[in-house]
Amino acid sequence: MTYDVIIAGGGAAGFFAAIQIAQQDPSLHLVILEKGKDVLNKVRISGGGRCNVTHAEFIPNELARNYPRGERELRGPFHTFCSGDTVDFFEKRGVPLKTEEDGRMFPVSDSSESIINCFREECRKLGIEVITNCGVNQVLEFEKYWELDTAGGTFRSRKLLLATGSSQKVWRMLSKMGITIVDPVPSLFTFNIKDPRIQGLMGLSSFAGVRIPEAAIEAEGPVLITHWGLSGPAILRLSAWGARALNALNYHFKIHVNWMYPENRESCLELLREEMEANPKRTVFRSKTFDLPKRLWQSLVEASGIDRSLKWADLSRKQMNRLVDELTDCVMDVHGKSTFKEEFVTAGGIDLKEVDFKTFESRKFSGLYFAGEILNIDAITGGFNFQNAWTGAYIAAKAIAQAP
Ligand SMILES: Cc1cc2nc3c(=O)[nH]c(=O)nc-3n(C[C@H](O)[C@H](O)[C@H](O)COP(=O)(O)OP(=O)(O)OC[C@H]3O[C@@H](n4cnc5c(N)ncnc54)[C@H](O)[C@@H]3O)c2cc1C
């Protein structure tokens, strides 16, 4: 079977690219080949079934700052197709989006099915062929075309777009062709911690500064205490920016939490002294908690070796210092990681140096394009991973449609 364009992978990037190509050049004969028996599976389960389509950050360079891998390379592409263009695309097709307080954007319907139906409807209108149960096993390059050996037979095309997500098998196949693959490691995970200071406090959340000196990374934001350890935006940010370094540490490291952030040791000491002077007769345990959840404050007071009945006036200098340590530099051992709400992405994939980001074409093979998670690009949680898929797919599609 011969086509002008073959798209391998019926996921977010594959569908978006197919629609863009068919719209820009309806004369092109194109097909989506999907390994599974169904398409768009990740879109369906994404965002807890609501699909966090993109993020309400409309300035290209600011948007790019959310990508631990790909920040530099995506700046240019975001100037061509940014989150505002994603909003436009869906709104024009009857799928309005809404913005949540933290900037995440979802379909107003709160259902990922709206996105899937939109793609299916566009494919139907544009006559895009989709073949399922058709995993690509091998890709061969001939002088003027690509030949694909698949579970559904042999396919040929002039242009080939690989949008197979984080498929290890495809990465191995590409590696054999001489394309450099950066080793995949997980990103977006929470930290497993067994520590008496947070035992029994699950559900509490506090704004904190967190850092992992062994990996030279730090972040700030809400930290959530869970049954297993620590989670929340600040922890997820560390897991994304430190994906590779934390993997190298085998997920065993020390995390330093400043529960008083943005205060530092000195300013925290000052606050405690003021409290001591203002309420000398109050017990430290039951004292004002400086924006900290009460039970967390009490746990840290006890961890500082301060008796529940001790009054501020009787607090020794040593105890005061210990309390400041617990509040601003609470060190905990992390032993392993857990998945965050089943959401995860893979850090790793096609080495970005081998991709021309004006076209998303391989620098090594002409007529071969990539989009989505197959590339060594990934982001923190918030809709950014899909935005990478939409942007890459749009630019690759434009290049394919305009190529001779
Ligand atoms: C549970 C979960 C929730 C998520 N929620 C969000 C969210 O709300 N917002 C967000 O921005 N990101 C989210 N993500 C990340 C997001 O889903 C991915 O970044 C995005 O799907 C990547 O798109 P893609 O098209 O590159 O890959 P995919 O969507 O993974 O699509 C790749 C497709 O290629 C197919 N394939 C693989 N190998 C072959 C082969 N050899 N031949 C043919 N086909 C093949 C696969 O079966 C798949 O259908 C979530 C991820 C998970 C796991």
Side-chain angles (χ1 to χ4, degrees), residues 11-227:
F15 267 80
F16 203 72
I19 293 164
Q20 298 291 346
I21 296 169
Q23 257 166 6
Q24 293 182 38
D25 187 348
S27 73
L28 289 175
H29 188 204
L30 69 123
V31 66
I32 299 177
L33 304 182
E34 165 57 44
K35 178 184 75 174
K37 68 176 183 351
D38 207 355
V39 293
L40 295 164
N41 278 334
K42 267 204 197 172
V43 172
R44 182 168 291 108
I45 57 168
S46 67
R50 294 201 298 145
C51 188
N52 178 192
V53 188
T54 187
H55 200 92
E57 171 54 77
F58 304 110
I59 302 165
N61 288 3
E62 288 302 310
L63 183 64
R65 286 162 63 97
N66 295 287
Y67 295 80
R69 284 144 296 271
E71 174 178 357
R72 195 163 47 86
E73 292 79 3
L74 283 174
R75 278 186 215 137
F78 283 156
H79 278 87
T80 303
F81 193 91
C82 204
S83 31
D85 301 300
T86 305
V87 176
D88 262 16
F89 174 90
F90 288 109
E91 292 203 336
K92 278 195 185 123
R93 288 161 182 80
V95 186
L97 305 183
K98 59 170 176 178
T99 309
E100 306 230 312
E101 233 171 66
D102 56 6
R104 292 179 303 157
M105 300 194 77
F106 295 88
V108 170
S109 65
D110 270 334
S111 167
S112 55
E113 290 300 329
S114 306
I115 304 295
I116 294 174
N117 291 341
C118 167
F119 285 161
R120 283 195 194 279
E121 180 57 15
E122 285 298 303
C123 285
R124 192 191 59 74
K125 274 198 258 170
L126 294 161
I128 296 167
E129 196 180 340
V130 180
I131 307 179
T132 51
N133 295 313
C134 196
V136 175
N137 297 321
Q138 212 186 352
V139 170
L140 294 169
E141 188 203 21
F142 289 87
E143 206 180 315
K144 287 206 164 50
Y145 63 92
W146 292 94
E147 188 173 285
L148 275 66
D149 172 29
T150 80
T154 305
F155 290 77
R156 285 190 195 87
S157 67
R158 284 192 299 115
K159 306 269 181 247
L160 173 61
L161 170 65
L162 294 180
T164 44
S166 45
S167 159
Q168 308 271 348
K169 193 175 154 186
V170 174
W171 282 329
R172 273 197 301 272
M173 186 178 81
L174 294 177
S175 178
K176 280 192 198 135
M177 285 167 64
I179 291 173
T180 312
I181 305 297
V182 178
D183 265 356
V185 297
S187 182
L188 291 185
F189 46 84
T190 65
F191 298 169
N192 295 352
I193 300 169
K194 275 202 167 30
D195 190 292
R197 288 167 291 187
I198 55 170
Q199 203 90 51
L201 301 185
M202 39 274 211
L204 291 189
S205 173
S206 190
F207 195 91
V210 282
R211 61 192 176 93
I212 303 169
E214 290 159 272
I217 45 171
E218 56 185 35
E220 62 191 58
V223 171
L224 174 71
I225 300 172
T226 69
H227 194 69

Side-chain angles (χ1 to χ4, degrees), residues 186-195 198 202 209-220 222-247 249-257 259 330-341 343:
S187 182
L188 291 185
F189 46 84
T190 65
F191 298 169
N192 295 352
I193 300 169
K194 275 202 167 30
D195 190 292
I198 55 170
M202 39 274 211
V210 282
R211 61 192 176 93
I212 303 169
E214 290 159 272
I217 45 171
E218 56 185 35
E220 62 191 58
V223 171
L224 174 71
I225 300 172
T226 69
H227 194 69
W228 311 108
L230 294 181
S231 178
I235 300 299
L236 291 171
R237 216 162 280 154
L238 285 183
S239 80
W241 289 95
R244 209 151 279 287
L246 300 182
N247 179 266
L249 293 168
N250 202 19
Y251 307 105
H252 285 72
F253 53 87
K254 287 188 191 307
I255 182 170
H256 295 238
V257 185
W259 298 108
C330 177
V331 186
M332 289 186 260
D333 287 312
V334 177
H335 291 289
K337 60 177 176 55
S338 292
T339 324
F340 162 70
K341 290 186 187 166
E343 178 175 345

